[in-house]
């Protein structure tokens, strides 16, 4: 099994400025929780026991979030606020947290390389800190990726999902061929291709399983025009060297919510808020009134 995961959270998040000027995008809330909490809960539910965050400047709130806060707990206990104490139960999650800093934001590949000593000789999961899989992160994709990785002795397994043709320009896109056992072999991967160049509409979806070989590949990648070391280039090297790189399709209910840009962040927030067991129903009614141009929304809250 794979028990360790690297969660890169060091990016500048410029597409979400000004919200991300002094706080990490991974700490922005989606409905009730910060995005990175969904990611961690998903990983722990998939058997991950140790998590390395690759952080950067102004990211200390992530470390604080996963630490216990005895003073806050005492205040809530003294006030007999049992329901609010329950909201802090995630502090007891069965995982060990580690932190390291990417000193210069030289791209995702470079951020993953910061996890080399953490991974050691063992395979590792990489989960992007700005992407949630499925409503409320109820996804077992990482577990299926781990099983596939072990069963097929793969060097890399990538989670992928179908995107509309016009959207391929935003993602890493894979070219796959079906093996005789029904698994999908990745022949090629291209970062943000044009619509014409894209070999398929299967987009990389923010979760990877890697053997330690990936670190050697990353070291060999030359920086791109923006000076970034692309993880996609390192995976392409694995393909070119004939290593077994497989793709695993996400199930429709595991769709990837990428909160790295405002349109997608807004959609994700609204969808998760609508699914909230306590507030979702009233929020839906409010939205319906708002969209139907009925009674003034301000008078309805
Ligand atoms: P993005 O590609 O969304 O880049 O990163 P970004 O820098 O965060 O955002 P923009 O493009 O400026 O808006 C995908 C994931 O990789 C991490 C990010 O924190 C995010 O979780 N990342 C990216 C790093 O850890 N280091 C980097 O140098 C770049």
């Amino acid at each position: 099994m794979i028990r360790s995961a690297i969660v890169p959270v060091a990016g500048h998040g410029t597409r979400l400025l000004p919200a991300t000027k002094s706080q990490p995008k991974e700490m922005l809330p989606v409905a009730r929780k910060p995005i990175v909490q969904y990611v961690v809960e998903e990983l722990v539910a998939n058997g991950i026991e140790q998590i390395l965050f690759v952080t950067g400047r102004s990211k200390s709130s992530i470390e604080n979030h996963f630490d216990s806060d005895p003073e806050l707990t005492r205040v809530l206990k003294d006030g007999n606020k049992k329901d609010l104490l329950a909201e802090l139960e995630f502090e007891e999650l069965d995982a060990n947290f580690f932190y390291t800093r990417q000193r210069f934001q030289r791209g995702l590949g470079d951020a993953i390389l910061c996890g080399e000593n953490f991974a050691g000789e063992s395979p590792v999961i990489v989960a992007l800190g700005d992407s949630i899989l499925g409503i409320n992160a109820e996804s077992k994709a990482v577990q299926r990726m781990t099983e596939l990785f072990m069963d097929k002795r793969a060097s890399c397994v990538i989670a992928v999902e179908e995107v509309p043709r016009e959207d391929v320009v935003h993602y890493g896109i894979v070219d796959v061929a079906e093996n005789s056992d029904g698994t999908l072999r990745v022949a090629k991967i291209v970062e943000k291709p044009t619509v014409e160049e894209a070999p398929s509409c299967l987009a990389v979806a923010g979760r990877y399983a890697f053997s330690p070989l990936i670190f050697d590949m990353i070291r060999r990648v030359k920086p791109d025009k923006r000076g970034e070391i692309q993880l996609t280039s390192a995976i392409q090297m694995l393909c070119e060297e004939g290593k077994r790189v497989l793709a695993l399709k996400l199930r429709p209910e595991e769709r990837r919510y990428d909160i790295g840009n405002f349109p997608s962040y807004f959609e994700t927030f609204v969808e998760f808020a609508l699914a909230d067991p306590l507030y979702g129903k009233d929020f839906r009614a409010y939205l319906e009134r708002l969209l139907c141009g009925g009674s003034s929304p301000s008078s309805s809250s």
Side-chain angles (χ1 to χ4, degrees):
M1 292 310 284
I2 306 182
R3 299 286 179 215
S4 304
I6 300 172
V7 180
V9 290
H12 289 303
T14 53
R15 287 169 296 160
L16 294 180
L17 281 170
T20 49
K21 172 146 188 289
S22 61
Q23 65 171 337
K25 67 173 163 183
E26 295 81 3
M27 281 300 288
L28 294 178
V30 162
R32 297 194 197 194
K33 302 178 196 174
I35 289 139
V36 71
Q37 188 180 330
Y38 290 103
V39 176
V40 165
E41 287 174 348
E42 174 209 321
L43 290 173
V44 172
N46 278 268
I48 296 297
E49 292 169 354
Q50 25 190 21
I51 298 175
L52 173 75
F53 291 100
V54 181
T55 73
R57 276 174 296 281
S58 49
K59 301 277 180 172
S60 51
S61 57
I62 297 178
E63 204 165 327
N64 295 338
H65 190 70
F66 291 103
D67 198 3
S68 62
D69 185 339
E71 201 178 323
L72 177 61
T73 307
R74 192 177 46 75
V75 169
L76 295 177
K77 271 192 183 145
D78 289 352
N80 201 22
K81 302 264 171 42
K82 292 204 177 92
D83 48 340
L84 297 180
L85 275 167
E87 297 297 342
L88 297 182
E89 275 168 10
F90 74 92
E91 287 179 357
E92 313 290 325
L93 274 173
D94 215 0
N96 290 314
F97 298 108
F98 300 83
Y99 301 86
T100 190
R101 277 203 182 196
Q102 183 188 22
R103 282 192 284 167
F104 302 98
Q105 274 62 58
R106 292 192 182 123
L108 181 56
D110 181 65
I112 304 307
L113 194 53
C114 297
E116 185 173 19
N117 287 342
F118 168 78
E121 295 301 311
S122 306
V124 70
I125 294 293
V126 167
L128 299 194
D130 65 354
S131 294
I132 306 170
L133 296 194
I135 276 278
N136 291 323
E138 279 162 12
S139 162
K140 285 293 162 73
V142 165
Q143 201 169 305
R144 298 200 307 281
M145 290 166 72
T146 300
E147 283 159 12
L148 185 63
F149 183 94
M150 294 304 190
D151 285 358
K152 303 296 169 192
R153 297 174 187 276
S155 294
C156 168
V157 175
I158 309 172
V160 296
E161 71 176 354
E162 198 96 30
V163 296
R165 185 103 208 150
E166 63 275 17
D167 289 349
V168 293
V169 295
H170 302 299
Y171 302 101
I173 301 291
V174 291
D175 186 9
V176 292
E178 192 164 335
N179 292 319
S180 51
D181 59 3
T183 57
L184 296 174
R185 184 164 195 137
V186 177
K188 191 174 155 194
I189 179 166
V190 269
E191 185 64 23
K192 302 189 176 74
T194 62
V195 171
E196 295 72 33
E197 281 166 359
S200 76
C201 291
L202 284 179
V204 175
R207 300 290 181 271
Y208 314 79
F210 287 120
S211 82
L213 251 185
I214 192 66
F215 300 112
D216 290 334
M217 299 297 145
I218 296 173
R219 246 191 296 278
R220 283 164 48 189
V221 172
K222 299 260 175 326
D224 66 9
K225 283 181 289 207
R226 293 162 59 209
E228 295 200 347
I229 307 285
Q230 294 287 350
L231 182 62
T232 309
S233 310
I235 300 173
Q236 175 60 18
M237 277 184 192
L238 287 175
C239 298
E240 283 165 11
E241 299 221 337
K243 305 294 180 204
R244 190 166 294 145
V245 179
L246 301 174
L248 180 129
K249 278 195 194 173
L250 295 179
R251 295 179 176 153
E253 69 276 13
E254 291 172 330
R255 102 160 237 235
R256 174 212 193 170
Y257 295 91
D258 165 13
I259 58 80
N261 58 77
F262 279 120
S264 176
Y265 175 60
F266 292 166
E267 285 168 19
T268 305
F269 195 105
V270 168
E271 224 179 291
F272 278 55
L274 285 171
D276 189 280
L278 193 57
Y279 303 111
K281 200 160 153 261
D282 287 350
F283 183 51
R284 181 176 302 276
Y286 172 84
L287 278 187
E288 277 165 4
R289 280 198 300 278
L290 181 69
L291 295 173
C292 293
S295 61
S296 154
S298 55
S299 65
S300 66
S301 53

